[in-house]
């Protein structure tokens, strides 16, 4: 039975993820994409340093840290996924990028079936498909039938990287809480991103104005630190396939935030899309998929017992 804190946790995580789309797009006018994502996740990781130090002093960290597994998750979740997304946003419409990133639950389900031998119920496939149609509608019916190349392909690769990170968390038994896991994977991913930015020759720049600094602060702290911690909590409480279905809420929140910033009322297609997203998530989650024991225990922490 799911922890009763799962729903508010996963909704908060998807809201924070959704807010990162308009923030990232705005900051790309001031900063190169690799430097932006590197500084974003480095700042987000350092914000968690006091928590990690506190846990270390109280003896709550394992004596042997799983450095290799943490590095792999950081490379997939932070370096691969976020770098490819930022690079793609340079030449891709935010609506198209949000739709492609929202396809993550489909890839998680497919890869779980192909790579892990997971049995996925038909209602999960049908629910995710219905929610995906809703995502397209809420973003104005953006057509993905056109040739997917350049920026779109980069974003799609970023989505696959995120899906692989989710599967890696399922396979690993990490004796770490969400705060420590988030700190190390973001720190490692950010350092690799900084090295890639340096080797690529992208010009280093910081936000140019107070509003840009405020946007960066939101992107690095609530939209990254908060989003990552709550997302890992949701994965531990609900499992990979079940929790990933709620990622369809991310582009809905991104769209609503965009409407709030531009003071434009949502169109009828957006409202209809939101209804379809809700129906798809409800249908896919109506009977939670039976997960292997390793799925729920992928990240050990006391929040699983409520």
């Amino acid at each position: 039975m799911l922890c009763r804190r799962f729903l508010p946790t996963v909704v908060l995580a998807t809201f924070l993820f959704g807010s990162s789309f308009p923030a990232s797009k705005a900051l790309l006018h001031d900063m190169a994409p690799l430097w932006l994502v590197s500084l974003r996740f480095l700042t987000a990781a350092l914000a968690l340093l006091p928590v990690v130090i506190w846990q270390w002093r109280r003896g709550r960290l394992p004596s042997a840290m799983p450095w290799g597994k943490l590095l792999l998750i950081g490379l997939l979740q932070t370096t691969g996924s976020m770098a490819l997304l930022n690079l793609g946003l340079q030449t891709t419409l935010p609506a198209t990028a949000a739709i492609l990133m929202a396809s993550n639950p489909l890839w998680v389900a497919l890869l779980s079936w192909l790579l892990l031998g997971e049995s996925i119920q038909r209602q999960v496939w049908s629910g995710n498909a219905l929610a995906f149609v809703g995502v397209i509608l809420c973003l104005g019916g953006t057509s993905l039938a056109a040739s997917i190349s350049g920026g779109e392909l980069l974003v799609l690769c970023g989505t696959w990287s995120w899906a692989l990170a989710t599967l890696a968390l399922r396979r690993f038994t990490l004796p770490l809480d969400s705060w420590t896991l988030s700190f190390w994977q973001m720190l490692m991913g950010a350092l690799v991103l900084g090295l890639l930015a340096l080797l690529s020759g992208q010009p280093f720049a910081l936000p140019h104005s107070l509003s840009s600094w405020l946007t960066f602060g939101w992107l690095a702290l609530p939209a990254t630190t908060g989003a990552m911690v709550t997302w890992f909590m949701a994965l531990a409480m609900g499992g990979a396939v079940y929790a990933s279905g709620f990622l369809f809420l991310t582009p809905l929140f991104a769209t609503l935030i965009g409407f709030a910033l531009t003071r434009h009322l949502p169109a009828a297609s957006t409202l209809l899309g939101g209804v379809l997203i809700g129906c798809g998530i409800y249908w896919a989650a109506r009977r939670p998929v039976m997960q292997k024991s390793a799925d729920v225990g992928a990240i050990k922490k006391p929040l699983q017992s409520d």
Side-chain angles (χ1 to χ4, degrees), residues 96-305:
T96 303
I99 290 173
L100 292 173
M101 291 298 288
S103 68
N104 180 275
L106 300 176
W107 303 118
V108 170
L110 179 61
L111 292 175
S112 296
W113 175 58
L114 291 175
L115 301 181
L116 304 183
E118 186 72 31
S119 178
I120 307 298
Q121 297 177 1
R122 291 180 180 178
Q123 69 183 50
V124 174
W125 294 111
S126 59
N128 282 345
L130 180 61
F132 189 63
V133 172
V135 168
I136 295 176
L137 284 176
C138 85
L139 292 170
T142 301
S143 174
L144 295 180
S147 58
I148 297 180
S149 59
E152 290 83 1
L153 184 58
L154 288 172
V155 174
L156 187 58
C157 289
T159 307
W160 294 337
S161 183
W162 189 351
L164 288 172
T166 302
L167 263 64
L169 281 169
R170 294 194 58 195
R171 297 295 294 174
F172 298 155
T173 301
L174 300 179
L176 304 172
D177 61 272
S178 297
W179 303 90
T180 306
L181 173 61
S182 298
F183 170 77
W184 285 112
Q185 73 91 10
M186 289 193 298
L187 179 63
M188 291 179 174
L191 293 176
V192 175
L193 282 165
L195 179 61
L196 292 176
L198 186 64
L199 294 176
S200 68
Q202 291 190 1
F204 178 82
L206 295 174
H208 296 163
S209 63
L210 176 60
S211 62
S212 295
W213 275 110
L214 293 175
T215 302
F216 179 80
W218 173 268
L219 178 64
L221 299 177
T224 302
T225 304
M228 284 293 179
V229 171
T230 51
W231 174 243
F232 287 138
M233 288 180 178
L235 283 179
M237 287 186 273
V241 176
Y242 182 57
S244 293
F246 286 82
L247 286 174
F248 280 116
L249 289 172
T250 297
L252 174 61
F253 284 131
T255 303
L256 293 177
I257 292 171
F259 279 125
L261 293 176
T262 59
R263 298 183 180 181
H264 290 158
L265 293 176
S269 61
T270 301
L271 298 177
L272 176 59
V275 172
L276 291 181
I277 289 172
C279 292
I281 291 173
Y282 172 77
W283 176 251
R286 188 167 59 92
R287 294 178 182 175
V289 179
M290 297 300 295
Q291 303 288 346
K292 296 179 181 178
S293 59
D295 183 82
V296 178
I299 312 169
K300 290 184 180 179
K301 47 181 162 311
L303 288 175
Q304 295 181 31
S305 58

Side-chain angles (χ1 to χ4, degrees), residues 32-57:
L34 290 182
W35 282 118
L36 170 59
V37 72
S38 175
L39 293 176
R40 167 190 173 184
F41 280 92
L42 180 61
T43 304
L46 293 179
L48 293 178
L49 184 58
V51 178
V52 176
I53 293 176
W54 178 78
Q55 291 179 327
W56 172 68
R57 289 183 174 178

